[in-house]
Amino acid sequence: MDAQTPVLDIRDLRTEFVTDEGIVHAVNGISYRLYPGQTIGVVGESGSGKSVSMLSVLRLLPSPPARIVGGEVWFKGQNLLALPEEEMRRIRGKEIAMIFQDPMTSLNPVLTIGFQIMEPLMLHLKMNKKEARERAIELLHMVGIPEPAKRVDDYPHQFSGGMRQRAMIAMALACEPTVLIADEPTTALDVTIQAQIVELVKRLRDEMGMALIWITHDLGVVAGLADRVIVMYAGLIMEDAPVDELYAAPQHPYTRALLRSLPRMDATSERLETIEGLPPDLLELPAGCPFAPRCTFAQPRCFEARPPLEEIRPGHRVACWVDMETGALRA
């Protein structure tokens, strides 16, 4: 695939959940492109729409209550949202794979780890049982499971948390996907294991030439992993920028607040900053910027109209009425 052609092109994606209380506006018109070999970090607080947007792309949300109400997702010349379910099943796992947050709920407890890795190989690549088993052992070795030929017949409960997550990565990589989506894959693990998993995914991404979307609430994790960072809030993209630029000069107050709440080695104060207030109720999104009630830069216009996501310099998009450097409204 041409490096200038996006491998995944998400256009104005909108997802809702129908509940007894009303309609939850979970994803509210997000657009971005992922290019071959690129890594995008998608960050934001819980409930910002990070995971729901990716589950929408793969059409893995239960319907009802979920429904995709707008947008297109283009992959290899096809709009994934318009494909029949059978064709979507062929793409899922083979072309686009996902590593989930909690391997204990994603792995089947009554099937061996080996069988769960073999299944997609037999389904998508038409391998026989012997070939699939050999490949499963190879994959377990590749993700750093010791004595893979013995461990291939173990069940999930016989693996530690870090090893279960490695097994999940082996399953996701089994068919050598074009795009890998990692949904907070290190959240439930201790810091040492987290670092090992991040390094493992980086190495495998480089070896296999995959494009990667890494979903996290931790800006610290994506610093050394992503090429670009997308900051989400209330189902919207607040900022989208190259990783170095975003960390050096964030242009949205929410991004800046997130970065200031991170522990830093060069911090002069021992206290971490917090973001006052709560995210908006997604049942009733405000007319203006959803971050305005918590924003120290907010002006009357911020409460009246939602700012569009606009490019302020090449490759750097921001949805904010206010220029943080001058405090004035953007022209």
Side-chain angles (χ1 to χ4, degrees):
M1 186 174 276
D2 174 15
Q4 299 308 307
T5 305
V7 68
L8 199 63
D9 187 355
I10 299 169
R11 304 178 188 173
D12 198 31
L13 179 64
R14 297 171 184 272
T15 304
E16 298 175 346
F17 290 88
V18 181
T19 70
D20 293 341
E21 287 78 37
I23 293 171
V24 176
H25 303 279
V27 179
N28 298 303
I30 66 166
S31 301
Y32 62 91
R33 291 172 172 176
L34 176 71
Y35 289 90
Q38 185 185 40
T39 297
I40 288 179
V42 181
V43 300
E45 291 169 86
S46 296
S48 61
K50 310 181 299 293
S51 298
V52 172
S53 63
M54 287 301 102
L55 291 168
S56 300
V57 165
L58 285 172
R59 285 168 47 189
L60 283 172
L61 291 167
S63 175
R67 61 187 188 194
I68 297 167
V69 292
E72 298 172 344
V73 177
W74 289 90
F75 175 76
K76 295 189 174 179
Q78 296 176 295
N79 177 12
L80 299 183
L81 303 187
L83 287 182
E85 178 55 32
E86 194 178 328
E87 280 185 54
M88 194 63 212
R89 267 203 299 270
R90 280 202 287 271
I91 288 171
R92 227 185 266 131
K94 183 174 188 284
E95 304 261 18
I96 306 174
M98 191 158 180
I99 307 166
F100 294 96
Q101 187 169 345
D102 181 6
M104 210 52 201
T105 55
S106 308
L107 292 166
N108 189 324
V110 300
L111 298 175
T112 65
I113 294 286
F115 180 81
Q116 294 182 67
I117 299 171
M118 289 161 62
E119 207 171 21
L121 295 168
M122 294 188 287
L123 177 70
H124 293 301
L125 304 185
K126 305 297 181 233
M127 287 186 182
N128 63 37
K129 210 166 181 179
K130 184 173 181 291
E131 291 167 336
R133 183 183 168 83
E134 284 170 7
R135 178 66 177 144
I137 292 168
E138 265 178 51
L139 286 158
L140 288 175
H141 174 71
M142 190 167 78
V143 298
I145 300 285
E147 298 188 275
K150 286 183 182 176
R151 302 308 304 262
V152 74
D153 295 317
D154 282 352
Y155 290 87
H157 73 269
Q158 293 171 280
F159 275 41
S160 68
M163 283 171 67
R164 279 196 292 267
Q165 197 56 278
R166 286 170 186 268
M168 282 289 297
I169 294 167
M171 280 173 65
L173 300 181
C175 299
E176 301 192 359
T178 310
V179 176
L180 179 64
I181 299 166
D183 184 6
E184 306 217 25
T186 61
T187 301
L189 306 174
D190 66 53
V191 178
T192 318
I193 307 295
Q194 275 188 23
Q196 290 173 7
I197 296 290
V198 171
E199 284 307 311
L200 171 66
V201 173
K202 273 169 75 171
R203 177 173 63 79
L204 296 172
R205 171 200 65 188
D206 296 342
E207 284 174 11
M208 300 170 80
M210 294 176 299
L212 174 65
I213 296 175
W214 188 284
I215 303 167
T216 182
H217 61 270
D218 185 349
L219 270 160
V221 169
V222 293
L225 180 70
D227 304 306
R228 298 187 67 78
V229 181
I230 287 171
V231 180
M232 286 188 70
Y233 185 81
L236 293 158
I237 294 174
M238 298 283 113
E239 187 162 6
D240 169 14
V243 63
D244 294 341
E245 203 171 305
L246 185 107
Y247 282 77
Q251 296 300 306
H252 196 284
Y254 178 57
T255 311
R256 188 163 106 159
L258 281 180
L259 286 168
R260 288 189 167 188
S261 66
L262 279 179
R264 292 174 61 105
M265 297 292 282
D266 58 353
T268 49
S269 164
E270 286 182 20
R271 288 192 61 149
L272 294 176
E273 291 192 26
T274 57
I275 307 172
E276 296 296 326
L278 295 168
D281 183 354
L282 295 179
L283 288 164
E284 282 186 62
L285 278 176
C289 171
F291 188 62
R294 306 172 75 185
C295 181
T296 52
F297 293 85
Q299 300 195 20
R301 188 181 186 182
C302 303
F303 293 91
E304 292 157 9
R306 187 177 297 167
L309 185 65
E310 291 186 327
E311 197 165 62
I312 54 164
R313 58 176 71 109
H316 195 149
R317 301 185 298 161
V318 177
C320 187
W321 292 123
V322 181
D323 182 333
M324 284 198 314
E325 284 160 22
T326 63
L329 289 170
R330 292 187 196 275

